[in-house]
Amino acid sequence: MGDGYNLLQLKAHILPLSNAGSWDVAVKEWSLVGIHEADEPEACPCGHFPIIEICSIHNRVTGHSTEVGNICVKRFLGLRSDLIFTAIKRIRKDPDKSLNADAIAFFYERRVLNEWEYNFCQNTMRLRSLTSAQLGKRRDINHKVLTAIGKRGFQGPQ
C-alpha cells in the first residue's frame, strides 16, 4: 500500500499470536482492550511511522496481547477505535463537550467511569445546555478520561 500501511506485514505480526491459521478467522479472536497516545512517535507493526494513537489489542483465544496503530485497528481488524479517539480530541479541545456513545461505553467497560458517571454521560450526551453543576461534572469526567488515557499502558479488564 502506498500510504505506509502494509497489510502483509501486519498479518505476519498478528497471525503467529493467533490460534487461527487464516487472517479472516484470526481477526475475530482479537478485541480492543486499551488505548493511549504516545509521548513520542512510534511504529505500528504494519510498518507505518509515525503513529501517536496506540491501541492495545488482546487475543481472547491465545491470551496474547500487542499494540497497533489506531488506523490498523479500524482498517484491518474492524474495531472502531477511531470513534473513541475522535471523542478524546473533542474533549481535549473543549472540556465542556460530551464524549460520544462509543467512548462512554469503552471507558465504562474498562472501569474508568463508574456506573453513575456512565449514566450521567449517557443522559447528558446530547444536551447542549447544562446547568453549572452538570457542566462541572462533565468537565470532571472528561478530565478523568484524559488522565486515564495519558497513562502509558492503560487498559481495563480484558
Side-chain angles (χ1 to χ4, degrees):
M1 304 186 92
D3 56 5
Y5 301 96
N6 185 323
L7 179 57
L8 293 178
Q9 196 169 322
L10 184 66
K11 285 180 180 181
H13 177 77
I14 296 291
L15 282 173
L17 302 173
S18 306
N19 190 47
S22 75
W23 178 253
D24 292 338
V25 177
V27 296
K28 305 288 188 224
E29 297 176 5
W30 293 88
S31 59
L32 179 67
V33 295
I35 64 169
H36 69 273
E37 294 176 322
D39 294 329
E40 298 291 326
E42 297 182 15
C44 180
C46 77
H48 184 76
F49 180 86
I51 58 170
I52 299 294
E53 297 174 343
I54 313 293
C55 297
S56 300
I57 57 174
H58 177 77
N59 187 301
R60 295 178 301 278
V61 176
T62 65
H64 288 98
S65 295
T66 191
E67 291 184 339
V68 298
N70 177 39
I71 301 298
C72 281
V73 166
K74 177 186 172 195
R75 184 184 286 177
F76 302 128
L77 299 177
L79 304 172
R80 294 304 309 264
S81 60
D82 61 316
L83 299 174
I84 299 164
F85 280 108
T86 297
I88 302 280
K89 289 175 189 170
R90 183 174 53 252
I91 67 169
R92 182 176 288 124
K93 183 177 180 181
D94 183 352
D96 292 352
K97 297 286 187 186
S98 173
L99 293 167
N100 60 33
D102 293 275
I104 294 166
F106 179 82
F107 290 112
Y108 176 67
E109 290 166 1
R110 278 136 194 94
R111 298 186 182 118
V112 172
L113 301 178
N114 62 37
E115 188 171 354
W116 187 92
E117 292 165 328
Y118 170 79
N119 289 326
F120 174 83
C121 289
Q122 289 288 351
N123 293 333
T124 63
M125 178 174 56
R126 299 203 192 297
L127 297 180
R128 293 186 188 256
S129 179
L130 301 176
T131 67
S132 61
Q134 288 172 322
L135 191 55
K137 190 41 127 173
R138 179 180 278 174
R139 287 178 187 144
D140 291 345
I141 291 169
N142 288 347
H143 177 73
K144 184 177 185 180
V145 166
L146 292 173
T147 300
I149 68 145
K151 296 176 183 171
R152 170 98 184 165
F154 154 75
Q155 60 182 13
Q158 300 174 17

